[in-house]
Amino acid sequence: MRITYCIPSLYNSGGMERVLTRKANYLADIMGWEVTIITSNQNNRPPFYDISPRVRTIDLGIDYEAIMRQTLFKRIRSRLKAKKAHKKKLTATLLQLKPDICVSMFTHEMTFLPTIKDGSKKVLELHFSKSFRYLDAQSNNTPSLLRLINSFLDWNDRRHIRKYDRFVVLSNRDAADWGKKYSNMTVISNPSTFVATDTMKEDSRKVLAVGRLCAQKGFDMLIDAWGMLPKATRAGWSLNIVGSGPDQSKLQDKIEANRLSGSVSILPPTRDVKELYRNHSIFCFPSRYEGFGLSLMEAMSFGTASIAFDCPCGPSEMIIDGVNGILVKPGDISGFSEALQLLMSDERMRSSMGLRGAQSIKDNFSEEVIMNKWLDLFEKLSPTGR
């Protein structure tokens, strides 16, 4: 079978790039399918994650990133021009590749991909939640004009979703938010991106958080929660926030303003995330909203005792509160701090929650479990394409 994916780029260290790379490698190496990833603005940068040599990559050279640096009204005009060029180049590429199935990652080509008559079935894969634009605007105090534009974009998205052969969301909670009117919708969660051959050290006195340094990820709330801990609880413990992004300076200022520099560090992204999970005994997931929560899944797969805000969407799909982790009411910083104190003070609880978390990820989100769902979907869409 021939499968083609469309994504803006692969050079970022984000969850969408990690999951797509993993799935593409599986389909190419394990299934022996012809897999192509089409990027719009890779711009000769190397992919962050390893891609199988069996996976073909093609870049269309549409620089959407440069457009985002323009003023608002110039940006609108430039995007329309870029979309036109994008459609023309993507159409030519798909007519040459002749894929059985073409997947949009809900990015730039989302609105026009179904109109390309290359003979392929079209799949739309959403790695955010239904209200991601509203939640993002709320997190960033976005001006009213931009919120109005976001409302139009939401309306436009919903208009095009029904044109796809399948619309895939990551969680049951998000599916419920979309409602029953999308008969082409199905739920396939992200797979665990690696198999843990060992678990974390429950006697480690290190706490970990991983993600892009932006308002969505809620690291500002995590720093506040850490600052609420009694000094006696924090003694000997450290909090490592691993990531990069636009809020790095702001978060560093908050750490210093709260006199937490001795126990809180911001570290750059690393390819060796396995070592991070192995060497930390608690994982914090303070996001304001998510599509699913890949880093939470990864941490749990290593048996790292985890705390998360019960945000839309993802954490409640993985954590049973008090059993294999702790869920905290969204935005309840003092509640998050109390959960931290509880786990930091009880090694036995960290160990038992972590082990149950690792087993639940293995049972429900292993690569085999999730990829079997994708294989079933692809083969139903194109039964003669195998």
Side-chain angles (χ1 to χ4, degrees):
M1 187 179 290
R2 295 185 296 273
I3 306 290
T4 297
Y5 288 94
C6 300
I7 190 171
S9 64
L10 292 169
Y11 70 89
N12 282 314
S13 60
M16 185 165 68
E17 292 83 359
R18 180 193 288 273
V19 169
L20 173 56
T21 302
R22 186 79 181 197
K23 288 191 298 188
N25 290 348
Y26 183 98
L27 295 175
D29 294 339
I30 306 300
M31 299 303 300
W33 292 0
E34 294 180 31
V35 182
T36 303
I37 299 176
I38 300 175
T39 54
S40 54
N41 45 277
Q42 185 73 10
N43 290 337
N44 296 315
R45 290 167 288 197
F48 190 87
Y49 302 107
D50 293 333
I51 298 178
S52 166
R54 294 174 180 267
V55 175
R56 182 180 181 184
T57 58
I58 298 173
D59 186 55
L60 302 180
I62 310 294
D63 197 350
Y64 286 102
E65 292 175 0
I67 294 171
M68 290 304 296
R69 295 190 289 270
Q70 297 176 357
T71 59
L72 178 60
F73 292 105
K74 190 175 181 181
R75 191 190 310 168
I76 293 171
R77 185 177 61 185
S78 296
R79 276 183 65 85
L80 291 173
K81 185 178 179 180
K83 280 283 187 80
K84 186 176 180 181
H86 190 175
K87 182 177 180 180
K88 182 178 180 179
K89 289 186 176 183
L90 183 57
T91 299
T93 303
L94 292 179
L95 288 173
Q96 183 180 23
L97 292 173
K98 301 188 185 310
D100 298 298
I101 295 169
C102 186
V103 184
S104 167
M105 307 295 282
F106 213 106
T107 50
H108 303 299
E109 71 291 325
M110 181 266 186
T111 56
F112 62 76
L113 182 60
T115 68
I116 298 177
K117 305 303 180 183
D118 61 316
S120 67
K121 298 290 185 179
K122 304 301 193 296
V123 175
L124 182 62
E125 185 177 340
L126 177 62
H127 279 257
F128 307 99
S129 56
K130 176 178 182 286
S131 303
F132 73 94
R133 288 195 182 95
Y134 168 78
L135 294 167
D136 185 68
Q138 191 176 51
S139 299
N140 291 288
N141 296 315
T142 301
S144 299
L145 177 58
L146 288 178
R147 292 191 186 215
L148 186 63
I149 293 172
N150 283 344
S151 296
F152 168 77
L153 292 173
D154 282 340
W155 169 81
N156 199 38
D157 286 348
R158 290 163 195 162
R159 218 164 45 91
H160 292 283
I161 286 171
R162 293 187 180 88
K163 299 175 184 178
Y164 282 83
D165 296 286
R166 286 291 187 279
F167 171 42
V168 181
V169 298
L170 294 175
S171 69
N172 292 302
R173 179 171 173 178
D174 197 38
D177 287 345
W178 281 101
K180 297 180 179 179
K181 58 185 176 180
Y182 296 96
S183 59
N184 59 343
M185 183 169 59
T186 189
V187 178
I188 304 180
S189 303
N190 281 334
S192 179
T193 51
F194 44 66
V195 177
T197 55
D198 54 358
T199 55
M200 64 83 188
K201 301 172 183 176
E202 61 268 9
D203 60 346
S204 167
R205 296 171 72 81
K206 295 180 181 179
V207 179
L208 176 66
V210 177
R212 181 169 165 76
L213 305 181
C214 61
Q216 175 205 346
K217 299 298 182 180
F219 295 131
D220 56 322
M221 294 190 290
L222 175 58
I223 293 167
D224 287 338
W226 186 262
M228 290 179 181
L229 291 169
K231 289 184 179 180
T233 301
R234 285 204 310 265
W237 282 83
S238 60
L239 167 62
N240 293 319
I241 300 172
V242 178
S244 61
D247 286 358
Q248 183 162 347
S249 296
K250 188 187 300 184
L251 293 171
Q252 189 62 51
D253 289 345
K254 178 180 275 287
I255 291 168
E256 293 171 6
N258 287 279
R259 299 180 180 179
L260 297 172
S261 301
S263 61
V264 182
S265 300
I266 297 177
L267 305 175
T270 175
R271 295 175 189 273
D272 193 7
V273 290
K274 294 181 181 181
E275 275 305 301
L276 288 177
Y277 299 127
R278 287 191 188 103
N279 293 312
H280 292 76
S281 61
I282 299 173
F283 183 77
C284 292
F285 194 76
S287 291
R288 290 179 165 89
Y289 68 94
E290 280 291 340
F292 191 68
L294 185 61
S295 62
L296 175 61
M297 176 188 289
E298 291 174 341
M300 290 178 69
S301 73
F302 270 92
T304 311
S306 299
I307 308 166
F309 282 127
D310 187 13
C311 68
C313 295
S316 61
E317 305 278 320
M318 292 177 271
I319 292 179
I320 302 171
D321 184 35
V323 177
N324 63 351
I326 299 176
L327 284 176
V328 179
K329 181 180 177 182
D332 183 1
I333 297 173
S334 61
F336 205 99
S337 185
E338 289 168 7
L340 263 171
Q341 185 172 1
L342 182 65
L343 286 181
M344 291 165 71
S345 304
D346 194 331
E347 182 177 319
R348 182 176 295 179
M349 180 180 289
R350 295 198 298 273
S351 178
S352 61
M353 277 192 176
L355 289 173
R356 286 193 290 266
Q359 189 61 48
S360 66
I361 296 300
K362 181 179 179 181
D363 291 343
N364 299 299
F365 303 103
S366 69
E367 183 176 70
E368 183 180 6
V369 168
I370 300 303
M371 290 309 298
N372 278 338
K373 293 181 180 181
W374 277 108
L375 295 177
D376 183 60
L377 184 148
F378 288 155
E379 289 172 356
K380 284 179 177 175
L381 285 177
S382 186
T384 60
R386 281 178 277 180

